[in-house]
Amino acid sequence: MSRYLNSYYVNKNGMDKNELRNKLISTATRLFAERGLNGVSIRELSKSAGVSISMISYYFGGKEGLYSSVLQEQFSSFEQIDDINKTDSEALAKIEAYIRWIIVRHRNNPYLLRFYTSELTNPTQFFPSIVQPAIGNVIQILVQIIEDGIAKNQFRKDLNPVDTVLAMAGMVNYYFLSTLATQELINHSPERDQELIRHYMDIFTKGILS
Amino acid sequence: MSRYLNSYYVNKNGMDKNELRNKLISTATRLFAERGLNGVSIRELSKSAGVSISMISYYFGGKEGLYSSVLQEQFSSFEQIDDINKTDSEALAKIEAYIRWIIVRHRNNPYLLRFYTSELTNPTQFFPSIVQPAIGNVIQILVQIIEDGIAKNQFRKDLNPVDTVLAMAGMVNYYFLSTLATQELINHSPERDQELIRHYMDIFTKGILS
DNA sequence: CACATTATAACGAACGTTCGATTTATGGTG
DNA sequence: CACCATAAATCGAACGTTCGTTATAATGTG
């Protein structure tokens, strides 16, 4: 119920302008992740957010605009991977940091689990400016890490960097994907995360070390 | 334009009863894979198949019935993996056979690339009898292959079979998923497939052999 | 005639968008 | 301080479109 400095209007809902906007974004994030763009009507969405339906057009220019905003917010987190590459660590440590990063991201972000989908690869066509640079950026950085490791004789010389990156990311991703597909609950404990990271790193490093 | 034995009627379209049904299934398979259940209207679908809209209700009892038939057909192919396990090969050879199988399946079957999605995990809820046994069966068989390999001292004793299966499948899957996400074309050549299989097996076996 | 299929129309429901009315906070004016 | 005009924020109803389904009459085939 708190007010924002740049807002002078408080509605009978008790939400001010920014609260209302955020409520729409967070509700849309959850619902679109669960059922896709076409799987959610703005009537249900606005009702679930406790807000009038017209607010979606008012603030986001319509349903697609809201969807675009959600994607923008979700994929902006990809930029954080730059930090991993800037450290002085060895290539292997960087890779472990990346695996840790992608696991945490997947835990909190259903869009990373689902952005391959028909509903969400359409956005890569409709909103290529949001999704493609994010993915491309991650792949590029990881390829560079692998290439560094090869150059410093830490990794096998015959590795194909791009395929290796995809293999590595795949090991982590697929665990979550299959967990979803088989309808099992994702166990959120940090201990299980640690166990996973250790396990994947173990398999992976034996395959790439020189 | 060939006739089927159990059909005596040939329409002015030149399609007989079974051809019409198959045309609907194949068109629906393509369109649903591209855009999901909610992304395609039966008006567009029937038009694209060159068939009257009423035929969908007539033959499949409606849109969901058609979708269910498509899923059924797609996931029935999962049973083929049983054959791999029945051979006398070593565990490693079985795994290579599985990787080959999943690559070929993914090439021909967009549903295997997309069944994790919001559009298609909904079907795992709405049609659990179709999707879940198929996936569960594959995982179960592969876990057994790994366990056999461990028991025969071919693989490391400390491997977690389930996680190892997911890691292995992930390496292959992720290649296709990221290929989709980054909008690159999937290169269909058998040579590229061979190269991929060799590459993944190379990384993977170094990680699991005892 | 029986059957398969078409084209068409109609249905109610749901969709995303638009619009006029209302509520609220603000700043100017006396 | 009281008043008022204004602009921003919000609402709910209404609009036109599309959806999946169903019914119907007409047409072609065996």
Side-chain angles (χ1 to χ4, degrees), chain A residues 9-143:
Chain A
Y9 179 83
V10 173
N11 189 34
K12 47 187 168 187
N13 278 341
M15 289 190 274
D16 75 4
K17 172 179 171 175
N18 289 313
E19 281 175 351
L20 189 147
R21 208 176 177 282
N22 292 338
K23 195 74 199 301
L24 273 177
I25 289 249
S26 62
T27 307
T29 301
R30 179 171 53 82
L31 291 180
F32 284 149
E34 284 170 9
R35 310 210 296 267
L37 176 60
N38 289 323
V40 191
S41 72
I42 59 170
R43 273 182 178 76
E44 179 192 355
L45 205 160
S46 57
K47 193 170 189 177
S48 181
V51 158
S52 168
I53 188 176
S54 15
M55 291 297 94
I56 292 173
S57 286
Y58 184 74
Y59 279 116
F60 302 95
K63 191 189 190 185
E64 285 208 358
L66 175 56
Y67 192 44
S68 170
S69 295
V70 167
L71 281 183
Q72 188 89 54
E73 191 181 271
Q74 295 298 314
F75 281 91
S76 67
S77 77
F78 270 74
E79 295 161 9
Q80 295 174 8
I81 201 177
D82 279 332
D83 302 337
I84 294 177
N85 199 28
K86 280 178 191 144
T87 64
D88 285 337
S89 328
E90 295 298 303
L92 204 57
K94 284 184 182 176
I95 286 177
E96 181 164 347
Y98 164 73
I99 290 187
R100 197 178 306 275
W101 174 82
I102 205 176
I103 282 187
V104 172
R105 286 305 302 158
H106 279 72
R107 288 259 180 268
N108 302 327
N109 187 339
Y111 284 89
L112 300 189
L113 284 175
R114 300 173 187 275
F115 78 93
Y116 324 101
T117 80
S118 49
E119 283 289 352
L120 284 163
T121 45
N122 273 346
T124 64
Q125 291 162 13
F126 288 126
F127 312 108
S129 61
I130 298 174
V131 176
Q132 288 194 36
I135 310 292
N137 185 36
V138 172
I139 294 181
Q140 204 177 330
I141 289 177
L142 287 167
V143 166

Side-chain angles (χ1 to χ4, degrees), chain B residues 43-102:
Chain B
R43 279 183 174 77
E44 179 192 358
L45 205 160
S46 58
K47 194 169 188 177
S48 181
V51 158
S52 169
I53 187 175
S54 350
M55 292 296 96
I56 291 174
S57 286
Y58 185 73
Y59 279 116
F60 301 96
K63 192 190 190 186
E64 284 209 358
L66 175 56
Y67 191 47
S68 171
S69 295
V70 167
L71 282 183
Q72 189 89 55
E73 191 182 271
Q74 295 299 313
F75 281 90
S76 67
S77 76
F78 270 74
E79 296 161 9
Q80 296 174 9
I81 201 178
D82 280 331
D83 302 338
I84 294 178
N85 198 29
K86 281 179 191 144
T87 63
D88 285 337
S89 325
E90 295 297 304
L92 204 57
K94 285 185 183 175
I95 287 177
E96 181 164 348
Y98 163 73
I99 290 186
R100 198 178 305 275
W101 175 81
I102 205 177

Side-chain angles (χ1 to χ4, degrees), chain B residues 113-125:
Chain B
L113 283 176
R114 299 173 190 274
F115 79 92
Y116 321 101
T117 80
S118 49
E119 283 286 353
L120 283 162
T121 46
N122 274 343
T124 65
Q125 290 161 13

Side-chain angles (χ1 to χ4, degrees), chain A residues 144-160:
Chain A
Q144 197 189 317
I145 293 178
I146 300 277
E147 281 172 348
D148 284 355
I150 297 177
K152 292 175 183 165
N153 270 333
Q154 295 169 339
F155 298 154
R156 291 161 46 198
K157 285 229 172 301
D158 59 335
L159 282 184
N160 174 330

